[in-house]
Amino acid sequence: MAYAARAMDIRERPRRLRRTEAMRRLVRETHLTPSNLVLPVFVREGATAPVPISSMPGVVQHTPDSLRAAVAEAAELGVGGVMIFGVPAQRDANGDAACAADSILADAVRWTKATTGDALPVIADLCLDEFTTHGHCGVLAPDGSVDNDATLDVYERMALTLADAGADVLGLSGMMDGQVGAVRDALDGAGHVDVTLLAYAAKYASAFYGPFREAVESQLTGDRKTYQQDPANAIEALREVRLDVAEGADLVMVKPALPYLDIVGRVADEVDVPVAAYVVSGEYAMIEAAAAAGMIERERAILEVLTSVRRAGAQIIATYWASKVARLLRTSGA
Ligand code: PBG
């Protein structure tokens, strides 16, 4: 076909909008900004030097000083928030240490608030798995099952401890039924009406949590399939989200992110609260390992992954790359 004839035949040419970087930027639908990113950090009770986590290259268990430095840096880079996990020196069957006013997590919240004040929202993880000798997210019934309602009593006490320590947000990651309502009532009853609840509304029983369990020195044997969701289910995720919003969740999260982008999208369509997604430890480790082996370009892969999570509908992304990416975005001016 003659050139002119072909040109008339193809009137729509999407490539026109891709011709230059400036044109691509003009029509870009999804933007990643530091304020979308939340940095998860681990703080180890009694640590005198940062402890590297071998399955998560570049991530450490912090000391009080290295925590202060990390959160100050995150705030300076405009990161959207920090999410704190404590690694306690002592564990017991009921996770009582989680409710002590001087728990490692409550202390870490205080150290962070004293460093960054209101510049960086502080999310404290509200779950027992780091504090129990058996590693489950709740307390056990005599038959060894995780006792939902008895766990809620402990969550309520832990919530008050963390709110008293100054946490801006509590991350309810235990997947107990009724946890959002129970914690909201406990907080409101104590006058903590402004403490915000981030519900891990759709949290799947995932193989991608492996490195995290090293990071918190989890004592878990077995799995969490009786309380975390079956990876095969999507409708059930919408039910979990609906319940959490009805119970008072201010923010809802889907976790992990990449294998569940369809869920992120469906949840975002469904709710009128901001949606978060957690790019978990195994997703981090996978890309870091492939990049270290020279198989993929690290920075491009990270940006592509995080952009995909935003595109799917998450406004907020919890990622161990938060500060790194904030720095990258600043230098690239993207
Ligand atoms: C449990 C909890 C988990 C993560 C955060 N909180 C996982 C689990 O062991 O079930 C995983 C985060 C990650 O893998 O990065 N409270």
Side-chain angles (χ1 to χ4, degrees):
M1 204 183 287
Y3 184 78
R6 165 90 70 207
M8 285 191 36
D9 207 40
I10 308 174
R11 289 194 178 76
E12 288 216 47
R13 291 181 183 267
R15 284 182 52 182
R16 287 180 195 125
L17 299 177
R18 298 179 204 136
R19 205 170 51 80
T20 62
E21 173 52 27
M23 187 65 87
R24 291 190 292 273
R25 196 179 59 211
L26 176 69
V27 300
R28 190 158 292 146
E29 298 173 33
T30 308
H31 294 272
L32 200 58
T33 62
S35 59
N36 300 131
L37 308 176
V38 167
L39 176 70
V41 293
F42 303 101
V43 186
R44 187 177 207 275
E45 186 168 3
T48 49
V51 183
I53 300 163
S54 62
S55 56
M56 300 176 73
V59 180
V60 299
Q61 294 174 326
H62 283 292
T63 66
D65 280 346
S66 70
L67 171 72
R68 289 185 190 97
V71 299
E73 178 193 44
E76 201 270 319
L77 288 166
V79 164
V82 64
M83 180 184 286
I84 307 180
F85 296 95
V87 185
Q90 304 289 337
R91 298 167 197 239
D92 62 46
N94 294 327
D96 279 331
C99 304
D102 63 348
S103 76
I104 180 61
L105 185 52
D107 279 347
V109 167
R110 275 186 287 268
W111 298 328
T112 302
K113 287 302 288 182
T115 307
T116 49
D118 283 341
L120 191 68
V122 173
I123 306 167
D125 185 59
L126 199 166
C127 189
L128 294 183
D129 63 312
E130 287 96 46
F131 294 91
T132 52
T133 38
H134 45 74
H136 276 294
C137 296
V139 300
L140 302 186
D143 68 358
S145 63
V146 176
D147 186 333
N148 191 90
D149 297 15
T151 299
L152 297 185
D153 293 339
V154 190
Y155 284 1
E156 289 171 8
R157 286 191 285 130
M158 186 175 182
L160 296 179
T161 301
L162 297 173
D164 287 340
D168 299 296
V169 183
L170 303 182
L172 291 120
S173 65
M175 288 299 281
M176 296 299 128
D177 292 338
Q179 63 183 10
V180 174
V183 165
R184 183 74 272 162
D185 284 350
L187 291 170
D188 290 352
H192 287 300
V193 296
D194 288 331
V195 173
T196 302
L197 298 185
L198 163 64
Y200 287 47
K203 178 174 177 182
Y204 286 89
S206 172
F208 290 94
Y209 304 147
F212 175 92
R213 294 187 186 164
E214 181 199 339
V216 299
E217 301 170 26
S218 172
Q219 308 295 305
L220 184 71
T221 52
D223 58 55
R224 306 197 200 283
K225 290 181 184 167
T226 65
Y227 44 106
Q228 297 181 349
Q229 279 187 246
D230 184 337
N233 295 354
I235 295 167
E236 187 187 9
L238 300 180
R239 182 185 191 200
E240 284 281 2
V241 167
R242 175 172 53 75
L243 288 170
D244 284 350
V245 171
E247 288 175 31
D250 301 290
L251 305 156
V252 293
M253 182 138 84
V254 174
K255 175 180 178 183
L258 285 189
Y260 301 95
L261 291 184
D262 58 328
I263 309 298
V264 172
R266 291 178 70 169
V267 168
D269 286 344
E270 196 88 356
V271 298
D272 59 3
V273 296
V275 174
Y278 196 147
V279 178
V280 301
S281 58
E283 299 177 85
Y284 175 88
M286 190 162 61
I287 286 171
E288 287 292 327
M295 294 174 178
I296 56 173
E297 283 178 54
R298 176 183 276 106
E299 289 179 1
R300 282 188 61 201
I302 294 170
L303 291 175
E304 187 174 332
V305 163
L306 298 184
T307 301
S308 78
V309 181
R310 288 275 292 134
R311 190 193 63 233
Q315 173 165 348
I316 301 165
I317 306 175
T319 168
Y320 301 97
W321 290 301
S323 292
K324 182 191 181 73
V325 168
R327 189 181 306 283
L328 214 63
L329 293 172
R330 171 190 282 185
T331 49
S332 73

